[in-house]
Amino acid sequence: VGHESKNEGDIESQYKITTENIDLLLNKISISVSRKAQPEVVFLKVYLRYPKDRGLISDLIYKSFGDIKVRYLQGHICRQELDLEIEGIARL
C-alpha cells in the first residue's frame, strides 16, 4: 500500500498494513504468472522490536494464515518507527 511507514506505536495497525502489502504482492504474482489460484504462504519470518508483542502477533498470524511455520526474531527493525517486519515464502 506504499513505502511510507504508518501507525507508529500501533503494532496491530502495522500488522494489518503489512498483511495488506503481502496480499497485494501475492495478487500481482498470481496475475503475472497467469495462475488462477492464489499463491500459498507457507513460511513467515517475523521480526519484532519488543518480545512482549509475540503473543498478539502470533494470534493475528494464525487468524490470517492458519497453522503455518513461523520463526520469530527479536531485534532492531530497519525503520525506527516500526515495531515489526515480516518476510515470507509462498508456494506457486
Side-chain angles (χ1 to χ4, degrees):
V1 293
H3 67 279
E4 186 178 327
S5 297
K6 297 181 180 184
N7 303 313
E8 185 172 350
D10 183 352
I11 195 164
E12 284 186 73
S13 293
Q14 291 177 20
Y15 175 82
K16 184 176 185 251
I17 289 171
T18 301
T19 55
E20 287 172 6
N21 283 333
I22 290 170
D23 286 343
L24 287 169
L25 287 170
L26 293 175
N27 285 330
K28 285 185 179 186
I29 290 169
S30 182
I31 291 168
S32 71
V33 295
S34 299
R35 294 183 53 105
K36 294 181 182 185
Q38 180 82 357
E40 175 189 9
V41 176
V42 295
F43 175 78
L44 293 174
K45 189 184 292 184
V46 179
Y47 299 90
L48 296 170
R49 185 175 301 278
Y50 305 109
K52 68 176 178 59
D53 294 324
R54 182 177 174 177
L56 170 65
I57 296 304
S58 178
D59 290 344
L60 292 171
I61 286 173
Y62 184 77
K63 289 176 186 172
S64 299
F65 298 97
D67 190 24
I68 66 168
K69 293 181 182 181
V70 182
R71 173 161 296 157
Y72 294 93
L73 301 161
Q74 188 269 326
H76 295 286
I77 309 299
C78 67
R79 293 186 184 192
Q80 188 174 14
E81 65 276 13
L82 295 179
D83 295 326
L84 87 153
E85 286 184 19
I86 298 177
E87 296 177 2
I89 297 174
R91 180 181 9 224
L92 297 176

